Amino acid sequence: MRPEVQEFVADGPLPDEDASGEEMDRRVHQLEAISRPVTADEARALVACFGPDDCYGIAWSLLHLIETGPNPVLVTKPEPDANEWHHRLWQRAVNGGLITGDLTA
């Protein structure tokens, strides 16, 4: 795994929208330092970095970065109480025809 991915993952999940502007900027810079595409291992590690909300759009950038890697990252439907971003990744893989799944349940 590349050092810039390791650094991002080591800092843990994205903060919520109450975090300081400095913290948000730091995480954005970390994310932007990761060149695309990511490897399968990097994508799987990055999935653990989603926080409780969209972090002023930073979570969308993380989702798009993860999707540059070999897809799908999630091949089974997340549990109902899983992070909303895990559900989103899985739904996008189903919608894109990468995996089969029931979106109604």
Side-chain angles (χ1 to χ4, degrees), residues 55-79:
C55 195
Y56 291 106
I58 301 171
W60 279 108
S61 297
L62 176 58
L63 180 137
H64 294 304
L65 174 65
I66 291 167
E67 289 181 332
T68 67
N71 272 304
V73 175
L74 303 177
V75 294
T76 58
K77 186 173 185 174
E79 294 296 321

Side-chain angles (χ1 to χ4, degrees), residues 14-15 25 34 43 45 62 66 84 94 97 102:
L14 291 172
D25 288 343
I34 302 170
L62 176 58
I66 291 167
E84 71 176 282
V94 170
D102 181 9

Side-chain angles (χ1 to χ4, degrees), residues 33-103:
I34 302 170
S35 61
R36 284 111 174 106
V38 296
T39 67
D41 287 340
E42 291 170 341
R44 283 190 293 275
L46 289 166
V47 165
C49 294
F50 287 108
D53 56 35
D54 78 344
C55 195
Y56 291 106
I58 301 171
W60 279 108
S61 297
L62 176 58
L63 180 137
H64 294 304
L65 174 65
I66 291 167
E67 289 181 332
T68 67
N71 272 304
V73 175
L74 303 177
V75 294
T76 58
K77 186 173 185 174
E79 294 296 321
D81 62 343
N83 184 290
E84 71 176 282
W85 294 96
H86 295 180
H87 287 283
R88 214 168 254 150
L89 272 170
W90 184 82
Q91 289 170 344
R92 289 166 64 92
V94 170
N95 290 342
L98 300 171
I99 56 176
T100 59
D102 181 9
L103 293 174

Side-chain angles (χ1 to χ4, degrees), residues 6-14 23 26-27 30 49:
Q6 289 176 337
E7 179 183 345
F8 190 87
V9 171
D11 279 354
L14 291 172
E23 174 66 8
R26 188 178 69 77
R27 295 309 301 264
Q30 285 179 322
C49 294

